[in-house]
Amino acid sequence: MSADAEPAPVSAKPPVTLREVAAAAGVSVATASKALNGQGRMTAETRERIRETARMLGFRPNSLAQSLLRKRSFTVGLLTNDTYGRFSLPLMAGVSDALVDKGVSVFLCNVEDDQRLGQLHVEAMLDKRVDGIVATGKRIDRHLPVDLSNLRIPVVYAFTQPDPGAVGLVSDDAGGARLAVEQFLRLGRRRIAHVSGPASFAVVHTRAEAYRDVLRENGLPTAEPLLGAWSEAWGRDAVARLFGKAGSWPDAVFCGNDQIARGVIDALRERGISVPDDVGVIGFDNWEIVAEATRPPLTSIDMNLASLGREAGLALLSLVDGQPAAPGIRKLPCRLVVRQSCGSPPQ
Amino acid sequence: MSADAEPAPVSAKPPVTLREVAAAAGVSVATASKALNGQGRMTAETRERIRETARMLGFRPNSLAQSLLRKRSFTVGLLTNDTYGRFSLPLMAGVSDALVDKGVSVFLCNVEDDQRLGQLHVEAMLDKRVDGIVATGKRIDRHLPVDLSNLRIPVVYAFTQPDPGAVGLVSDDAGGARLAVEQFLRLGRRRIAHVSGPASFAVVHTRAEAYRDVLRENGLPTAEPLLGAWSEAWGRDAVARLFGKAGSWPDAVFCGNDQIARGVIDALRERGISVPDDVGVIGFDNWEIVAEATRPPLTSIDMNLASLGREAGLALLSLVDGQPAAPGIRKLPCRLVVRQSCGSPPQ
DNA sequence: TCCACCTGAGAAAACCTTTTCCCAATCCGC
DNA sequence: GCGGATTGGGAAAAGGTTTTCTCAGGTGGA
């Protein structure tokens, strides 16, 4: 390991090839290949001898040669424009997780919002003969800055806007919103407000609609959601509007994301309003770094992004294997993560 | 694009090969190859004709075949145990960014803290003949759960503990801490406290030592740093200790990370102590999501992780090209990002 | 006119593995 | 003992590209 131990393997000996294994075992490469792959016919003794030789020599087949022949590279590309962001990370982990067991590796390609970069990455992946592509982004209602519609390999969209006719996986935002509002109802809350992000986001409307639906189904008056930004500042601002004037204050606030929820909780505390005793709060995204830092810790809706990624990986794999998949958007359920910001059920 | 436009290319025609280009141009594959690569000798007219044919046919060379021959796959592996985390993301983006222009793609491998998974990923990468590996982690003072010391391909360590004799890149934590403390001094602060994370982290000591050094160099009394957790709660706790008793309160707090700093700022505000008028605060990491949400926004030390990643990518590339690199750890400077939590210079 | 040299281009090997034939030897039943 | 089936294993092509070698024809000089 140190300088004087060995003549420093500047470039270590090349990997051992099948030919060398065959030579060492005294058979032809064809026989060696078949022995190692469990193909062909030969005596059990021969097969075992070849295997043992391969093991001794530390033989590992060259994926490049295999891929060239099989026209399958056991490699997929993961395209994202959200490397820094919150959403594609768990998603990426899920994709990678679903594929590693099948021996499939993942090329990570961050295209930012740059057409040129996107083009570059897609061409590089195509040249390297990836078996398929998972496209993911930071917004469910926006396209990646690349055209993947006429590729000769399958594409699965996860947490981004799919091309028409493609298969897409997204979180069930409406279901997630229902989960939150229904939790409030179960806890006996009746005056439930909704504070969410900018109207330019599709999910803002999806969640708001589900919020209204649940209230209506339960015969409760629906209040107009307050739309603003995805920030703590807006959460604080919204509290000023909701609780600024005298009158019937909400006893629950369903927030469009965890940062808004944090702003809401901070502002309520500063007004001397107790969470969860006076007002319950539920966030969205279950971003642990935020949800666990609020006082009290924040109950939130988790979009199960890792599962989403796993499903995307598996869907892509079956597409690669030639299984036709039903095109269209599949919605995966969210999950309520209970912490302490919305109280316990009434006795 | 829609169902009736074309017979839906279930599996589109295979990519065009060099052989087809050669046939279409009426030359041999050898000549075609040389024409496209600018090698060999032929009339300018022939070369141009072949190039034009290739362009028309949309020819793109098969990377797999090229790699097999050249023994270079133009592919590297990025190993991390911090997929969800804060640090490896900008770093990954930097690595990818440095390599994409050179036509090098990056395999993303998240090994968590799992030996088996690490082994699996490394073997998969080796089989796929990656040209090199960048190893990165969530802590500068911990090893990844894999042994990369006897690989026959180059390895560069970034933001993780390198093997002896390898090349490693880390942030200059001491320099970063100096930057913070010196900024306070420049602003006329003299009673500077330091609140940091757990003693089990090497960086805690590195930064604390630099903090003491700067104070000593300036003839100021050094106070013992307060060590705790990397959390907001600990930041609030530390304020209670520093400002709880009467006496000479600090006029500046240098925090070990941004979350601690946020706790500090929140607790100061709750005590009616003004930031930055009464007390200046500087954080570490420059995690925008935190630094921009504090009230006031947080001045912080940025570790330039994207640059670190870029440097790591370039270092790996030159190693792959056979340039011997000086082994050992190279430290890259941090950067002070000024927001509003430490005030303006005195007039 | 002849020879040496250059020019343009092709044939073939190489990279490493898989798979499809193919062949020789052995075995079986009659 | 003989024809056919089976068995164990090998030769060779395929996959797509690069590179080295070879070669035919042309050019220039003597």
Side-chain angles (χ1 to χ4, degrees), chain A residues 141-199:
Chain A
D141 55 354
R142 283 285 185 278
H143 268 99
L144 249 38
V146 283
D147 180 19
L148 302 173
S149 57
N150 281 316
L151 266 35
R152 58 171 176 278
I153 53 174
V155 178
V156 168
Y157 295 80
F159 208 78
T160 190
Q161 186 71 12
D163 282 317
V167 3
L169 261 44
V170 300
S171 54
D172 178 9
D173 281 273
R178 293 192 83 91
L179 241 38
V181 181
E182 284 167 356
Q183 171 76 356
F184 279 141
L185 294 178
R186 200 172 312 121
L187 296 176
R189 316 266 176 184
R190 288 293 174 271
R191 300 183 307 283
I192 303 169
H194 181 35
V195 178
S196 196

Side-chain angles (χ1 to χ4, degrees), chain A residues 17-18 30 33 37 59 61-62 65-66 69:
Chain A
T17 69
L18 186 60
S33 170
N37 294 314
F59 169 75
N62 184 332
Q66 290 181 319
L69 201 54

